[in-house]
Amino acid sequence: RIVDLSIYGAFSQEARNHGSVQRSLTMLRSQLSSLEDLDAVERRARAAAAVITPVAHFETRAGIFTPAPPDHAAYATVPGLLINLASAFLYMANYSLVLPTNEEFLEHIGSRGSMAGVCVGMADITAVCVSLLYGWWSNRSFKQPLIASSLLCLTGNVVYCFAWDAHAGIALPMLLAGRLLTGMGSCRAVNRRYIADFVSSKRRTAASAAFVAASAGGAAMGPLLAVPLQNIQDFKIAGFSINSITGGGYLMAGAWLVFTTFLQTVFVDPPRDDDEDVSDDDSEDQAALESSPDVEDSLSRPLLGPATEDAQKPFDMRPAYCCILSLFVLKFVQQGMISSLPEFTHQFYGWRSAFIGGFLSILSLSMLPVNFGVALGATVISDRQLLLSSEVVSLLGCLLMLSYGGSFPAVWAYVTGTVLVYAATIVMESCSMSLLSKKIPKSLSRGTCNAGLLATQAGSGGRFFGNMSISFFGSLIGKHLNTPEAIVKFDHLMFGSLVAVTLIGFAFTLSIFRSLK
């Protein structure tokens, strides 16, 4: 009996142990199931978060949407950054250099002042075309496209200045050819990509802010050169005239020569790998995303629980389209107003080139405090509200510059309207870029043809059509804009078109306002 009891006790203990093991296994299976659920949730959360890339204000303002590189791949150097910032500064100075003196140059070679739009717009059309080329080229080298663009700008300035002394038959074609070459020297896509690809996250905001400041400084410096150059006495070297109008072109050619020499000596291409270099964390994230069976539905699918019917809805691209349209509209309005300003102020109020250059310079520098104000205001006001409000302000500014009753606008009305339109378009640009960074799919935040390039192309296209509208309306009038009747009619056509374009952008923004959250 004692043996039987011992055997029974042993089996009972084994049964109890077996039950404990079974309960433990059941609990372990439950925990593993929970871990698998959490792992799935994490993968889906990463996929959802990857669709939208959060970017700081100055980064979006600079057109940079690509996530910052890991620290070990942040190859940007101080000389490299300074060279790219100097390239952006010099190009914007070169682009806006001709604004105050265009009318005088065109009159000297026997052309209409309204051709100023074509003269400025030639740089825009080539800038649109070469941006893709420079973007592709920067996949292989940064130094080569920077040198090529510098030499093109240098050559463009020389051809532009030589047009002053050319005979009537070829003077205008030479002038336009010089501006075409200058536009081909637009290397801003490379400048922007250097910051995006090789500046660490800690330094990226500062580098982006410096890029915005360099562009604004260049846009202000170009017209400002008309002020000191107005005192140059005409003289010739080797048969070519140097005066208050061509002096700026020769000065910029010299600046590009010095810059190219410094670039060739100092700049070193950052190391590039054939395979994209990503960190271990990025590799794990990518593997997790690839292992998720329903990545594309992650944005609309709840993190826990079964998918709903909303998960089958495609990604809403209307907000991105709205941002691209807003960028086109604001550049159309801004450039149309700025490029036509010398024509109007000379005929309306008798402003001279130096005064116009100083006014445009102050207007360009105002971009910096306005941008800072937008960055602060965006913390309490949504981007969509700022965008809609700025479109209304731009509309009011254009209405102030219209001629009523056949008389010239009052000076205060024209200046106030100019300031309102310029400030409003700056706010529109900041808000549009910020919204675009939040509303684009991940596929458009990387690579050569990314959202930054699309935004640049939309802006350059807006500038081109804004400039070309000046020459188009001038040709409709069919004569020189040197009579009160002609300039008033030109005012109606020009600012009437700016009002119409602004209304189109406003209507589209209002139609999808709820989608811009």
Side-chain angles (χ1 to χ4, degrees):
R1 181 174 178 82
I2 293 174
V3 172
D4 291 341
L5 287 174
S6 299
I7 294 173
Y8 175 77
F11 277 109
S12 297
Q13 183 65 36
E14 182 180 357
R16 287 194 296 271
N17 291 340
H18 180 73
S20 299
V21 169
Q22 290 296 326
R23 287 193 297 271
S24 299
L25 289 174
T26 301
M27 292 179 61
L28 183 59
R29 290 192 189 99
S30 176
Q31 291 174 355
L32 287 174
S33 178
S34 299
L35 289 173
E36 289 174 356
D37 289 341
L38 289 174
D39 188 53
V41 167
E42 182 186 9
R43 290 197 304 270
R44 290 162 60 184
R46 286 179 176 178
V51 176
I52 304 300
T53 304
V55 190
H57 171 77
F58 282 109
E59 293 178 33
T60 59
R61 184 65 182 79
I64 296 173
F65 301 102
T66 310
D71 289 342
H72 69 270
Y75 300 122
T77 62
V78 172
L81 276 174
L82 291 177
I83 285 171
N84 279 277
L85 294 176
S87 173
F89 175 88
L90 287 174
Y91 177 77
M92 290 307 299
N94 214 152
Y95 177 86
S96 57
L97 173 73
V98 302
L99 292 175
T101 58
N102 248 340
E103 186 182 5
E104 293 181 53
F105 201 128
L106 290 165
E107 288 178 355
H108 172 77
I109 62 176
S111 185
R112 293 197 304 264
S114 59
M115 285 295 293
V118 174
C119 181
V120 179
M122 286 297 99
D124 294 314
I125 190 63
T126 48
V128 170
C129 298
V130 300
S131 292
L132 289 171
L133 172 62
Y134 284 136
W136 169 81
W137 202 348
S138 63
N139 289 331
R140 292 157 176 77
S141 171
F142 280 82
K143 187 172 186 176
Q144 292 175 3
L146 284 170
I147 291 176
S149 65
S150 303
L151 293 176
L152 285 167
C153 284
L154 190 158
T155 307
N157 280 287
V158 173
V159 174
Y160 171 83
C161 295
F162 284 1
W164 179 271
D165 297 297
H167 61 78
I170 64 169
L172 183 60
M174 283 187 67
L175 175 63
L176 299 180
R179 293 298 296 172
L180 279 169
L181 289 170
T182 300
M184 291 178 69
S186 174
C187 206
R188 291 169 60 79
V190 176
N191 307 144
R192 185 182 295 113
R193 188 167 184 183
Y194 185 85
I195 296 174
D197 287 1
F198 300 115
V199 176
S200 65
S201 58
K202 295 179 181 179
R203 300 169 59 193
R204 178 183 266 201
T205 299
S208 301
F211 180 80
V212 172
S215 300
M221 180 58 67
L224 189 62
L225 288 175
V227 178
L229 292 175
Q230 67 177 328
N231 299 318
I232 291 181
Q233 300 296 322
D234 291 6
F235 63 96
K236 289 191 175 184
I237 297 179
F240 296 104
S241 299
I242 298 179
N243 51 46
S244 59
I245 297 176
T246 61
Y250 286 120
L251 183 63
M252 288 304 304
W256 281 114
L257 180 60
V258 172
F259 173 78
T260 306
T261 304
F262 185 75
L263 167 63
Q264 176 65 33
T265 305
V266 174
F267 188 81
V268 177
D269 262 324
R272 303 295 295 264
D273 297 327
D274 293 336
D275 298 326
E276 186 177 1
D277 187 16
V278 295
S279 64
D280 293 339
D281 292 338
D282 292 339
S283 301
E284 292 175 2
D285 292 348
Q286 184 65 26
L289 291 176
E290 292 175 355
S291 65
S292 177
D294 300 308
V295 168
E296 294 182 358
D297 294 336
S298 296
L299 184 65
S300 55
R301 187 175 60 192
L303 293 180
L304 291 173
T308 64
E309 294 180 359
D310 292 337
Q312 305 304 319
K313 293 182 180 179
F315 187 79
D316 188 2
M317 289 294 294
R318 289 179 306 160
Y321 297 150
C322 178
C323 295
I324 296 294
L325 176 63
S326 296
L327 290 168
F328 177 87
V329 167
L330 74 90
K331 290 300 183 183
F332 183 102
V333 173
Q334 186 185 86
Q335 197 62 44
M337 178 198 70
I338 289 177
S339 295
S340 63
L341 186 143
E343 189 74 37
F344 285 119
T345 54
H346 178 68
Q347 299 294 337
F348 284 164
Y349 318 117
W351 290 9
R352 303 306 301 168
S353 298
F355 191 85
I356 293 171
F359 179 76
L360 289 173
S361 178
I362 294 172
L363 201 62
S364 298
L365 286 176
S366 69
M367 187 175 77
L368 296 176
V370 172
N371 261 318
F372 183 73
V374 173
L376 294 178
T379 61
V380 293
I381 306 174
S382 67
D383 289 329
R384 61 174 186 163
Q385 290 174 325
L386 283 173
L387 177 60
L388 202 64
S389 301
S390 61
E391 289 173 336
V392 173
V393 173
S394 177
L395 185 62
L396 293 175
C398 291
L399 292 174
L400 276 175
M401 289 185 282
L402 273 170
S403 172
Y404 298 97
S407 60
F408 297 163
V411 177
W412 71 266
Y414 189 88
V415 172
T416 302
T418 302
V419 173
L420 286 177
V421 169
Y422 196 77
T425 52
I426 291 171
V427 177
M428 287 172 64
E429 185 169 11
S430 295
C431 297
S432 297
M433 297 293 270
S434 178
L435 282 169
L436 187 62
S437 70
K438 301 170 186 175
K439 298 296 181 180
I440 56 171
K442 187 180 179 182
S443 59
L444 287 179
S445 67
R446 294 178 179 271
T448 302
C449 187
N450 54 37
L453 180 61
L454 294 177
T456 301
Q457 300 293 68
S460 297
R463 283 196 188 97
F464 172 74
F465 284 103
N467 284 316
M468 296 302 290
S469 64
I470 299 172
S471 299
F472 175 72
F473 294 134
S475 65
L476 287 181
I477 296 173
K479 54 185 176 182
H480 289 276
L481 304 177
N482 52 8
T483 64
E485 296 79 11
I487 196 67
V488 166
K489 186 175 181 181
F490 184 62
D491 177 279
H492 290 159
L493 291 171
M494 188 67 216
F495 291 109
S497 70
L498 300 188
V499 168
V501 170
T502 304
L503 282 174
I504 292 172
F506 175 79
F508 188 71
T509 303
L510 193 63
S511 68
I512 64 163
F513 188 71
R514 292 186 178 181
S515 301
L516 295 174
K517 291 182 179 179

